[in-house]
Amino acid sequence: MSNSLPREGMLATVRNRRALITSVAESPALRDAVSRLVRVEYMDASSPPEDELLWELEPGTEVVEPRRLPRVEDEAPMESRGFEALTRSARWMALSPYVGLKGLPEGAAPLASPLFGSLQVEEYQLVPLVRALKMPRVSLALFDDVGLGKGVEAGLVLSELILRRRLRRVLVICPAWLRHQWRDELKSKFSLTFDIIDRQETHALRRRLGMDVNPWRTFPRIIASYHYLKQPDVLEDFLAVCGRQGSPSATLPWDLLIVDEAHNCMPSAAGAESALYHMLKSIAKHFEHKLFLSATPHNGYTQSYTGLLEQLDQVRFTRKD
């Protein structure tokens, strides 16, 4: 007999069958010891479907203890290299349970990023993800209101495309004060590691690896401020990584561009264009996929709005008055 006492709601092995304990009551059947009258419902389809028995007198009974959380205070933490290897293995095998799953169209797979992310996803946040998976080249403008989770929607698309082996080189550009927030949220919510590139990091990298090192070629996933990227020397280094325009290639040099607060890069309605618009116009054509995020995408001028959408997809949109 198991030393564990039967309790209502626990699983047990009774008469070589798995059962659920539905009630426990004391019975005066024994004078010298307390005997418990236990009612169980069997989990299998055999007959009888339920039983009532005296627990202490029934041979071979055993309570199935629920699984407990590991006692982390008694165990040494996992080494960082082992944890990173475990994370990469989980991400690599994310879609493996769906391989050969019956009832799905050929080449289709269920959504994986909501299941492998550390967040609670709202239903409307899945709409851009489903829309993106239907597009051969993802070109989406996420113009939700403040607080509705545009970053979560972009992270779901980013994570899903990485899990499906469609992405490797990713660039996120945003205001300078949002760089660390993007890096921390992508790490904590989606287990995706990004490197922040700025003037200080570029100098440190060149001190370690040599003055000829180009940071845009060194890291596959980068977060940068678009005010930093618009500087002529920095933009020149970026375009040097992209290669010559018009060179024969089946794919573009970068996979995904995410532009947060994209309204800052829209063209001017009148007068000279801003340096941010020229920067976006220079780099956008080197990316296979694009995501533009903004809570205020329209400034009241159709020319500015359509000019921003033109950088998102020049086939569908044209700048006009």
Side-chain angles (χ1 to χ4, degrees):
M1 289 195 310
S2 171
N3 294 327
S4 300
L5 297 178
R7 297 190 298 275
E8 185 177 342
M10 296 187 68
L11 292 177
T13 302
V14 177
R15 299 174 182 174
N16 294 325
R17 298 171 66 184
R18 183 62 57 87
L20 175 68
I21 300 175
T22 57
S23 66
V24 179
E26 293 186 359
S27 174
L30 299 179
R31 296 181 178 179
D32 299 332
V34 176
S35 179
R36 292 172 177 81
L37 181 65
V38 177
R39 181 181 293 274
V40 297
E41 291 183 359
Y42 293 109
M43 309 296 290
D44 53 33
S46 302
S47 183
E50 59 182 13
D51 262 334
E52 195 174 50
L53 51 95
L54 294 174
W55 186 263
E56 281 76 8
L57 300 181
E58 186 73 26
T61 57
E62 181 181 3
V63 174
V64 180
E65 290 287 351
R67 293 186 177 182
R68 298 177 179 176
L69 294 174
R71 301 180 61 85
V72 294
E73 68 275 7
D74 299 334
E75 301 177 1
M78 181 183 295
E79 295 185 2
S80 59
R81 293 179 61 184
F83 178 75
E84 292 175 359
L86 179 63
T87 302
R88 288 193 296 269
S89 175
R91 187 182 303 121
W92 180 258
M93 299 300 295
L95 295 178
S96 62
Y98 310 131
V99 175
L101 194 62
K102 297 181 179 179
L104 292 176
E106 185 177 356
L111 301 179
S113 57
L115 305 179
F116 287 84
S118 179
L119 74 166
Q120 181 175 355
V121 181
E122 302 293 339
E123 291 183 5
Y124 67 88
Q125 293 173 337
L126 297 176
V127 175
L129 175 57
V130 175
R131 183 76 172 269
L133 294 179
K134 295 180 180 179
M135 307 174 72
R137 277 187 175 178
V138 179
S139 299
L140 288 180
L142 307 181
F143 290 160
D144 285 339
D145 202 353
V146 177
L148 293 183
K150 294 183 293 297
V152 171
E153 294 172 350
L156 289 172
V157 175
L158 166 64
S159 178
E160 186 74 28
L161 294 180
I162 289 178
L163 291 173
R164 292 171 183 257
R165 326 290 191 257
R166 292 177 59 182
L167 294 184
R168 194 183 73 86
R169 304 188 69 191
V170 182
L171 174 64
V172 179
I173 56 176
C174 59
W177 60 278
L178 288 175
R179 294 173 300 164
H180 295 279
Q181 179 179 334
W182 266 97
R183 182 189 63 182
D184 296 343
E185 290 194 359
L186 288 173
K187 178 64 176 178
S188 61
K189 294 180 179 178
F190 300 99
S191 190
L192 297 176
T193 303
F194 276 74
D195 294 282
I196 295 178
I197 295 298
D198 53 17
R199 187 74 66 179
Q200 181 179 359
E201 178 60 30
T202 300
H203 290 334
L205 185 65
R206 287 174 176 171
R207 282 197 300 269
R208 295 196 309 267
L209 303 179
M211 292 301 297
D212 295 333
V213 170
N214 191 325
W216 307 104
R217 182 180 289 112
T218 305
F219 302 111
R221 296 198 290 261
I222 297 175
I223 299 174
S225 163
Y226 39 54
H227 292 283
Y228 172 69
L229 185 54
K230 75 177 182 181
Q231 301 177 37
D233 59 325
V234 179
L235 185 58
E236 182 180 356
D237 288 342
F238 179 86
L239 295 178
V241 174
C242 299
R244 295 181 179 180
Q245 185 176 359
S247 59
S249 176
T251 58
L252 295 174
W254 288 80
D255 295 320
L256 175 63
L257 172 65
I258 299 177
V259 184
D260 194 13
E261 305 294 340
H263 58 272
N264 292 323
C265 301
M266 67 171 49
S268 174
E273 306 293 359
S274 66
L276 288 180
Y277 172 71
H278 286 297
M279 177 272 300
L280 180 61
K281 186 176 181 180
S282 299
I283 70 172
K285 55 192 173 186
H286 299 291
F287 289 83
E288 293 275 356
H289 313 283
K290 305 183 191 73
L291 290 175
F292 286 4
L293 284 62
S294 176
T296 55
H298 207 301
N299 61 357
Y301 297 96
T302 303
Q303 187 175 7
S304 298
Y305 182 68
T306 55
L308 178 64
L309 296 181
E310 185 181 29
Q311 302 309 315
L312 179 69
D313 191 336
Q314 296 184 359
V315 176
R316 288 189 291 168
F317 304 106
T318 302
R319 183 180 180 181
K320 57 184 179 180
D321 296 333

